[in-house]
Amino acid sequence: MASINDDVPTPPREILTERLLLLPAQESDAEAVFGAIDESRTELEAWMAWTPQVRAPEDLRRRAPQVRENWDARTDFGISIFRREDGRFLGGTGMHDPNWDVPSLSIGYWMRTSETGKGYVREAVTALTRVGFGQLGLRRMVITCAATNTRSRRVAESVGYQLEGRLRNDERLPNGDLRDTLVYSLIDSDDVVRELLAGESGTLTQ
Ligand SMILES: CC(C)(COP(=O)(O)OP(=O)(O)OC[C@H]1O[C@@H](n2cnc3c(N)ncnc32)[C@H](O)[C@@H]1OP(=O)(O)O)[C@@H](O)C(=O)NCCC(=O)NCCS
């Protein structure tokens, strides 16, 4: 019997950009992802509550079936970022919190510390934004981040996302401090989206 989710789109399973290969996160990435998290604990743990729970590759392997199930059910799309040149695992991104009624999605990201400052995240976010508005037919895409997370804000702003709101005392940071959350968005009629879709979109394969 067809499920309701058969009616909604799914991102391509492979996205190629100039320097990157984006693939669904999978069990076989566990060692590489763990290595990247382990070298980046100071930066990641400042912002992301899940990182202290990852103490061994096995912790990632255990989550893999759920990640795959979420992709198939179109409820969450976890994506690994690899460098095309040498296949190195660079970081994670994903399309989250879908509302297929709109339809809309949000994007999250992290980069291993040794590969930050090279524009890889904005390259990945640009590609996902193109896929979102192009192939998935989204009407809205969102990036949220802590107001004090300057580097994350720069990613959203550099791709052209518009600041649309500030949620005060919205959540707690991993250190227990309250944080304001900034909400950035793009909608399909924004000039930035038209320009992104008119530009080079890279090679997309299903
Ligand atoms: C937030 C985070 C993903 C940003 O990573 P990043 O590497 O700074 O982001 P980018 O890949 O877009 O790189 C941008 C930088 O690369 C530089 N750069 C170098 N070569 C570049 C190129 N070829 N193209 C574009 N930018 C380039 C840019 O000038 C920019 O530098 P700046 O930060 O000094 O302005 C990273 O700091 C991180 O993982 N933080 C911890 C987790 C986190 O906070 N995630 C977000 C939660 S909301």
Side-chain angles (χ1 to χ4, degrees):
M1 198 170 69
S3 103
I4 190 169
N5 287 323
D6 291 340
D7 298 334
V8 303
T10 180
R13 299 190 75 84
E14 184 176 301
I15 300 173
L16 280 173
T17 70
E18 191 188 338
R19 296 179 296 173
L20 307 173
L21 170 61
L22 311 186
L23 295 174
Q26 52 189 326
E27 200 171 338
S28 54
D29 302 338
E31 294 283 344
V33 177
F34 180 75
I37 291 172
D38 217 32
E39 77 164 41
S40 314
R41 289 201 181 273
T42 310
E43 292 73 22
L44 296 182
E45 287 178 8
W47 309 111
M48 305 175 102
W50 54 267
T51 35
Q53 286 134 40
V54 182
R55 286 285 145 210
E58 187 47 35
D59 296 325
L60 296 164
R61 272 190 215 102
R62 215 175 309 117
R63 292 178 189 189
Q66 185 65 57
V67 171
R68 200 170 47 239
E69 238 173 73
N70 291 345
W71 187 293
D72 293 342
R74 277 88 147 166
T75 54
D76 190 83
F77 306 99
I79 295 170
S80 292
I81 307 173
F82 297 93
R83 184 162 50 208
R84 290 174 66 175
E85 192 183 30
D86 58 2
R88 187 177 204 216
F89 174 84
L90 300 177
T93 183
M95 299 171 107
H96 311 298
D97 308 314
N99 179 345
W100 296 114
D101 201 32
V102 175
S104 65
L105 277 167
S106 74
I107 297 182
Y109 40 78
W110 63 273
M111 176 65 32
R112 68 189 306 157
T113 300
S114 58
E115 300 289 357
T116 54
K118 299 180 182 176
Y120 289 138
V121 182
R122 56 184 77 163
E123 191 168 318
V125 170
T126 300
L128 291 185
T129 305
R130 283 195 180 114
V131 165
F133 287 110
Q135 286 182 262
L136 304 186
L138 300 180
R139 304 292 306 274
R140 170 180 168 81
M141 294 185 76
V142 174
I143 293 175
T144 61
C145 65
T148 46
N149 192 343
T150 317
R151 294 189 83 161
S152 183
R153 293 176 62 170
R154 275 215 293 273
V155 172
E157 288 163 11
S158 69
V159 178
Y161 278 74
Q162 318 280 313
L163 181 61
E164 70 176 14
R166 183 182 190 109
L167 311 179
R168 297 176 300 161
N169 288 352
D170 179 49
E171 279 182 30
R172 284 198 185 272
L173 289 167
N175 71 2
D177 289 352
L178 280 170
R179 64 171 239 191
D180 289 359
T181 297
L182 298 183
V183 181
Y184 289 88
S185 73
L186 279 173
I187 64 169
D188 55 336
S189 56
D190 284 335
D191 288 344
V192 172
V193 173
R194 276 189 261 234
E195 283 158 23
L196 277 175
L197 292 180
E200 271 293 304
S201 61
T203 311
L204 308 173
T205 43
Q206 292 275 3

